[in-house]
mmCIF file of all heavy atoms in Angstrom:
data_model
loop_
_atom_site.group_PDB
_atom_site.id
_atom_site.type_symbol
_atom_site.label_atom_id
_atom_site.label_comp_id
_atom_site.label_asym_id
_atom_site.label_seq_id
_atom_site.Cartn_x
_atom_site.Cartn_y
_atom_site.Cartn_z
ATOM 1 N N SER A 10 0.835 -1.305 0.040
ATOM 2 C CA SER A 10 -0.008 -0.051 0.030
ATOM 3 C C SER A 10 0.850 1.288 0.025
ATOM 4 O O SER A 10 0.313 2.337 -0.142
ATOM 5 C CB SER A 10 -0.932 -0.008 1.254
ATOM 6 O OG SER A 10 -0.138 -0.031 2.413
ATOM 7 N N ARG A 11 2.181 1.140 0.147
ATOM 8 C CA ARG A 11 3.147 2.256 0.140
ATOM 9 C C ARG A 11 2.788 3.302 1.207
ATOM 10 O O ARG A 11 2.803 4.535 0.957
ATOM 11 C CB ARG A 11 3.190 2.923 -1.155
ATOM 12 C CG ARG A 11 3.679 1.995 -2.303
ATOM 13 C CD ARG A 11 3.739 2.780 -3.580
ATOM 14 N NE ARG A 11 4.250 1.890 -4.663
ATOM 15 C CZ ARG A 11 4.487 2.255 -5.968
ATOM 16 N NH1 ARG A 11 4.175 3.467 -6.324
ATOM 17 N NH2 ARG A 11 5.013 1.421 -6.839
ATOM 18 N N LEU A 12 2.406 2.923 2.398
ATOM 19 C CA LEU A 12 2.161 3.758 3.474
ATOM 20 C C LEU A 12 3.521 4.426 4.004
ATOM 21 O O LEU A 12 4.527 3.688 4.106
ATOM 22 C CB LEU A 12 1.454 3.149 4.643
ATOM 23 C CG LEU A 12 -0.006 2.611 4.380
ATOM 24 C CD1 LEU A 12 -0.495 1.861 5.557
ATOM 25 C CD2 LEU A 12 -0.858 3.840 4.031
ATOM 26 N N LYS A 13 3.489 5.637 4.242
ATOM 27 C CA LYS A 13 4.770 6.376 4.659
ATOM 28 C C LYS A 13 4.972 6.196 6.121
ATOM 29 O O LYS A 13 4.002 6.217 6.890
ATOM 30 C CB LYS A 13 4.701 7.838 4.302
ATOM 31 C CG LYS A 13 4.696 8.169 2.850
ATOM 32 C CD LYS A 13 4.672 9.607 2.535
ATOM 33 C CE LYS A 13 4.728 9.868 1.106
ATOM 34 N NZ LYS A 13 4.641 11.321 0.748
ATOM 35 N N LYS A 14 6.266 6.048 6.484
ATOM 36 C CA LYS A 14 6.577 5.994 7.894
ATOM 37 C C LYS A 14 6.585 7.387 8.536
ATOM 38 O O LYS A 14 6.436 8.395 7.890
ATOM 39 C CB LYS A 14 8.014 5.367 8.043
ATOM 40 C CG LYS A 14 8.080 3.939 7.560
ATOM 41 C CD LYS A 14 9.479 3.419 7.708
ATOM 42 C CE LYS A 14 9.640 1.981 7.134
ATOM 43 N NZ LYS A 14 11.020 1.459 7.260
ATOM 44 N N LYS A 15 6.760 7.432 9.844
ATOM 45 C CA LYS A 15 6.652 8.699 10.552
ATOM 46 C C LYS A 15 7.833 9.575 10.150
ATOM 47 O O LYS A 15 7.640 10.836 9.949
ATOM 48 C CB LYS A 15 6.738 8.442 12.078
ATOM 49 C CG LYS A 15 6.571 9.659 12.887
ATOM 50 C CD LYS A 15 6.508 9.279 14.397
ATOM 51 C CE LYS A 15 6.378 10.568 15.258
ATOM 52 N NZ LYS A 15 6.359 10.225 16.626
ATOM 53 N N LYS A 16 9.038 9.123 9.958
ATOM 54 C CA LYS A 16 10.180 9.816 9.570
ATOM 55 C C LYS A 16 9.947 10.377 8.147
ATOM 56 O O LYS A 16 10.383 11.530 7.830
ATOM 57 C CB LYS A 16 11.435 8.966 9.648
ATOM 58 C CG LYS A 16 12.705 9.776 9.391
ATOM 59 C CD LYS A 16 13.920 8.854 9.659
ATOM 60 C CE LYS A 16 15.195 9.668 9.496
ATOM 61 N NZ LYS A 16 16.410 8.792 9.709
ATOM 62 N N GLN A 17 9.380 9.582 7.296
ATOM 63 C CA GLN A 17 9.178 9.985 5.863
ATOM 64 C C GLN A 17 8.067 11.118 5.853
ATOM 65 O O GLN A 17 8.238 12.082 5.030
ATOM 66 C CB GLN A 17 8.712 8.862 5.013
ATOM 67 C CG GLN A 17 9.827 7.825 4.809
ATOM 68 C CD GLN A 17 9.269 6.612 4.079
ATOM 69 O OE1 GLN A 17 8.123 6.242 4.078
ATOM 70 N NE2 GLN A 17 10.180 5.875 3.355
ATOM 71 N N LYS A 18 7.090 10.987 6.742
ATOM 72 C CA LYS A 18 6.139 12.068 6.709
ATOM 73 C C LYS A 18 6.721 13.393 7.222
ATOM 74 O O LYS A 18 6.407 14.444 6.634
ATOM 75 C CB LYS A 18 4.979 11.696 7.728
ATOM 76 C CG LYS A 18 4.159 10.545 7.215
ATOM 77 C CD LYS A 18 3.032 10.170 8.171
ATOM 78 C CE LYS A 18 2.140 9.097 7.681
ATOM 79 N NZ LYS A 18 1.064 8.758 8.586
ATOM 80 N N LYS A 19 7.547 13.353 8.227
ATOM 81 C CA LYS A 19 8.207 14.660 8.649
ATOM 82 C C LYS A 19 9.153 15.167 7.642
ATOM 83 O O LYS A 19 9.180 16.371 7.377
ATOM 84 C CB LYS A 19 9.002 14.269 9.996
ATOM 85 C CG LYS A 19 8.165 14.036 11.178
ATOM 86 C CD LYS A 19 9.057 13.866 12.413
ATOM 87 C CE LYS A 19 9.845 15.075 12.781
ATOM 88 N NZ LYS A 19 10.590 14.850 14.035
ATOM 89 N N SER A 20 9.867 14.319 6.883
ATOM 90 C CA SER A 20 10.714 14.780 5.814
ATOM 91 C C SER A 20 9.905 15.359 4.688
ATOM 92 O O SER A 20 10.303 16.488 4.179
ATOM 93 C CB SER A 20 11.556 13.621 5.301
ATOM 94 O OG SER A 20 12.373 14.043 4.242
ATOM 95 N N ALA A 21 8.757 14.796 4.399
ATOM 96 C CA ALA A 21 7.893 15.365 3.321
ATOM 97 C C ALA A 21 7.299 16.741 3.686
ATOM 98 O O ALA A 21 7.313 17.710 2.861
ATOM 99 C CB ALA A 21 6.814 14.395 2.968
ATOM 100 N N VAL A 22 6.950 16.886 4.954
ATOM 101 C CA VAL A 22 6.385 18.135 5.484
ATOM 102 C C VAL A 22 7.500 19.273 5.361
ATOM 103 O O VAL A 22 7.225 20.331 5.074
ATOM 104 C CB VAL A 22 5.853 18.032 6.843
ATOM 105 C CG1 VAL A 22 5.458 19.366 7.506
ATOM 106 C CG2 VAL A 22 4.585 17.144 6.845
ATOM 107 N N LYS A 23 8.723 18.889 5.830
ATOM 108 C CA LYS A 23 9.808 19.795 5.772
ATOM 109 C C LYS A 23 10.117 20.300 4.385
ATOM 110 O O LYS A 23 10.377 21.484 4.113
ATOM 111 C CB LYS A 23 11.074 19.183 6.424
ATOM 112 C CG LYS A 23 12.197 20.169 6.595
ATOM 113 C CD LYS A 23 13.411 19.473 7.254
ATOM 114 C CE LYS A 23 14.562 20.388 7.321
ATOM 115 N NZ LYS A 23 15.765 19.749 7.896
ATOM 116 N N LYS A 24 10.249 19.300 3.410
ATOM 117 C CA LYS A 24 10.492 19.694 2.046
ATOM 118 C C LYS A 24 9.448 20.595 1.468
ATOM 119 O O LYS A 24 9.702 21.582 0.750
ATOM 120 C CB LYS A 24 10.631 18.403 1.190
ATOM 121 C CG LYS A 24 11.934 17.604 1.437
ATOM 122 C CD LYS A 24 11.955 16.454 0.566
ATOM 123 C CE LYS A 24 13.275 15.646 0.752
ATOM 124 N NZ LYS A 24 13.336 14.393 -0.008
ATOM 125 N N ASP A 25 8.204 20.285 1.757
ATOM 126 C CA ASP A 25 7.112 21.152 1.273
ATOM 127 C C ASP A 25 7.188 22.559 1.853
ATOM 128 O O ASP A 25 6.940 23.553 1.172
ATOM 129 C CB ASP A 25 5.780 20.528 1.650
ATOM 130 C CG ASP A 25 4.603 21.285 1.127
ATOM 131 O OD1 ASP A 25 4.420 21.384 -0.103
ATOM 132 O OD2 ASP A 25 3.804 21.798 1.876
ATOM 133 N N PHE A 26 7.513 22.690 3.128
ATOM 134 C CA PHE A 26 7.746 23.989 3.773
ATOM 135 C C PHE A 26 8.890 24.710 3.150
ATOM 136 O O PHE A 26 8.716 25.932 2.909
ATOM 137 C CB PHE A 26 7.934 23.820 5.247
ATOM 138 C CG PHE A 26 8.196 25.055 5.980
ATOM 139 C CD1 PHE A 26 7.243 26.034 6.176
ATOM 140 C CD2 PHE A 26 9.572 25.294 6.512
ATOM 141 C CE1 PHE A 26 7.477 27.171 6.882
ATOM 142 C CE2 PHE A 26 9.708 26.482 7.208
ATOM 143 C CZ PHE A 26 8.749 27.436 7.329
ATOM 144 N N GLU A 27 9.971 24.089 2.785
ATOM 145 C CA GLU A 27 11.062 24.734 2.179
ATOM 146 C C GLU A 27 10.744 25.159 0.767
ATOM 147 O O GLU A 27 11.151 26.306 0.355
ATOM 148 C CB GLU A 27 12.286 23.771 2.171
ATOM 149 C CG GLU A 27 12.931 23.527 3.569
ATOM 150 C CD GLU A 27 14.060 22.548 3.489
ATOM 151 O OE1 GLU A 27 14.265 21.900 2.348
ATOM 152 O OE2 GLU A 27 14.767 22.308 4.468
ATOM 153 N N LYS A 28 9.933 24.392 0.082
ATOM 154 C CA LYS A 28 9.502 24.777 -1.267
ATOM 155 C C LYS A 28 8.587 26.103 -1.180
ATOM 156 O O LYS A 28 8.771 26.975 -2.087
ATOM 157 C CB LYS A 28 8.764 23.617 -1.976
ATOM 158 C CG LYS A 28 9.620 22.498 -2.381
ATOM 159 C CD LYS A 28 8.800 21.411 -3.027
ATOM 160 C CE LYS A 28 9.674 20.306 -3.431
ATOM 161 N NZ LYS A 28 8.841 19.182 -4.122
ATOM 162 N N GLN A 29 7.739 26.141 -0.162
ATOM 163 C CA GLN A 29 6.931 27.298 -0.009
ATOM 164 C C GLN A 29 7.781 28.543 0.265
ATOM 165 O O GLN A 29 7.508 29.701 -0.227
ATOM 166 C CB GLN A 29 5.913 27.087 1.117
ATOM 167 C CG GLN A 29 4.875 25.997 0.722
ATOM 168 C CD GLN A 29 3.902 25.797 1.891
ATOM 169 O OE1 GLN A 29 3.902 26.486 2.874
ATOM 170 N NE2 GLN A 29 3.097 24.780 1.771
ATOM 171 N N LEU A 30 8.824 28.341 1.073
ATOM 172 C CA LEU A 30 9.765 29.534 1.397
ATOM 173 C C LEU A 30 10.481 29.963 0.175
ATOM 174 O O LEU A 30 10.568 31.214 -0.091
ATOM 175 C CB LEU A 30 10.743 29.091 2.467
ATOM 176 C CG LEU A 30 10.173 28.929 3.944
ATOM 177 C CD1 LEU A 30 11.336 28.656 4.881
ATOM 178 C CD2 LEU A 30 9.475 30.224 4.453
ATOM 179 N N ILE A 31 10.892 29.036 -0.713
ATOM 180 C CA ILE A 31 11.610 29.507 -1.906
ATOM 181 C C ILE A 31 10.667 30.233 -2.863
ATOM 182 O O ILE A 31 10.988 31.221 -3.435
ATOM 183 C CB ILE A 31 12.147 28.178 -2.713
ATOM 184 C CG1 ILE A 31 13.309 27.578 -1.830
ATOM 185 C CG2 ILE A 31 12.635 28.535 -4.048
ATOM 186 C CD1 ILE A 31 13.726 26.250 -2.351
ATOM 187 N N GLN A 32 9.432 29.749 -3.020
ATOM 188 C CA GLN A 32 8.472 30.490 -3.828
ATOM 189 C C GLN A 32 8.149 31.827 -3.237
ATOM 190 O O GLN A 32 7.956 32.847 -3.961
ATOM 191 C CB GLN A 32 7.140 29.624 -3.878
ATOM 192 C CG GLN A 32 7.279 28.337 -4.694
ATOM 193 C CD GLN A 32 7.679 28.543 -6.092
ATOM 194 O OE1 GLN A 32 7.245 29.483 -6.728
ATOM 195 N NE2 GLN A 32 8.492 27.615 -6.576
ATOM 196 N N LEU A 33 8.096 31.930 -1.926
ATOM 197 C CA LEU A 33 7.753 33.208 -1.207
ATOM 198 C C LEU A 33 8.915 34.165 -1.471
ATOM 199 O O LEU A 33 8.746 35.388 -1.712
ATOM 200 C CB LEU A 33 7.606 33.026 0.251
ATOM 201 C CG LEU A 33 7.190 34.241 1.072
ATOM 202 C CD1 LEU A 33 5.834 34.790 0.633
ATOM 203 C CD2 LEU A 33 7.158 33.883 2.628
ATOM 204 N N ASP A 34 10.225 33.699 -1.375
ATOM 205 C CA ASP A 34 11.323 34.538 -1.699
ATOM 206 C C ASP A 34 11.390 35.046 -3.177
ATOM 207 O O ASP A 34 11.645 36.150 -3.406
ATOM 208 C CB ASP A 34 12.591 33.716 -1.436
ATOM 209 C CG ASP A 34 13.886 34.537 -1.646
ATOM 210 O OD1 ASP A 34 14.077 35.499 -0.814
ATOM 211 O OD2 ASP A 34 14.675 34.236 -2.621
ATOM 212 N N LYS A 35 10.969 34.152 -4.067
ATOM 213 C CA LYS A 35 10.956 34.566 -5.525
ATOM 214 C C LYS A 35 9.811 35.597 -5.749
ATOM 215 O O LYS A 35 10.088 36.570 -6.499
ATOM 216 C CB LYS A 35 10.734 33.365 -6.336
ATOM 217 C CG LYS A 35 11.907 32.399 -6.493
ATOM 218 C CD LYS A 35 11.595 31.253 -7.393
ATOM 219 C CE LYS A 35 12.799 30.333 -7.572
ATOM 220 N NZ LYS A 35 12.480 29.114 -8.417
ATOM 221 N N PHE A 36 8.712 35.436 -5.090
ATOM 222 C CA PHE A 36 7.571 36.324 -5.254
ATOM 223 C C PHE A 36 7.934 37.744 -4.643
ATOM 224 O O PHE A 36 7.652 38.798 -5.294
ATOM 225 C CB PHE A 36 6.327 35.744 -4.528
ATOM 226 C CG PHE A 36 5.128 36.652 -4.659
ATOM 227 C CD1 PHE A 36 4.622 36.945 -5.914
ATOM 228 C CD2 PHE A 36 4.447 37.149 -3.498
ATOM 229 C CE1 PHE A 36 3.516 37.706 -6.006
ATOM 230 C CE2 PHE A 36 3.456 37.927 -3.648
ATOM 231 C CZ PHE A 36 2.910 38.281 -4.917
ATOM 232 N N GLU A 37 8.636 37.745 -3.533
ATOM 233 C CA GLU A 37 9.072 39.009 -2.952
ATOM 234 C C GLU A 37 10.087 39.727 -3.834
ATOM 235 O O GLU A 37 10.005 40.955 -4.080
ATOM 236 C CB GLU A 37 9.702 38.893 -1.575
ATOM 237 C CG GLU A 37 10.041 40.060 -0.842
ATOM 238 C CD GLU A 37 10.707 39.905 0.483
ATOM 239 O OE1 GLU A 37 11.432 38.889 0.654
ATOM 240 O OE2 GLU A 37 10.565 40.738 1.397
#
């Protein structure tokens, strides 16, 4: 079923947050 582990979930959330910061920096 490809369920993500707890560490993978935290890593995915962190990567998504970093992508949002990069987009915010470009927009500014």
Side-chain angles (χ1 to χ4, degrees):
S10 59
R11 296 183 179 179
L12 294 176
K13 293 182 179 179
K14 297 180 181 178
K15 185 177 180 180
K16 189 175 181 180
Q17 291 176 336
K18 289 181 180 180
K19 286 182 68 177
S20 177
V22 171
K23 184 180 178 182
K24 287 181 180 179
D25 184 61
F26 176 69
E27 290 177 352
K28 288 180 181 178
Q29 291 179 9
L30 289 184
I31 292 172
Q32 293 299 323
L33 186 63
D34 182 68
K35 289 181 179 179
F36 182 59
E37 187 185 27

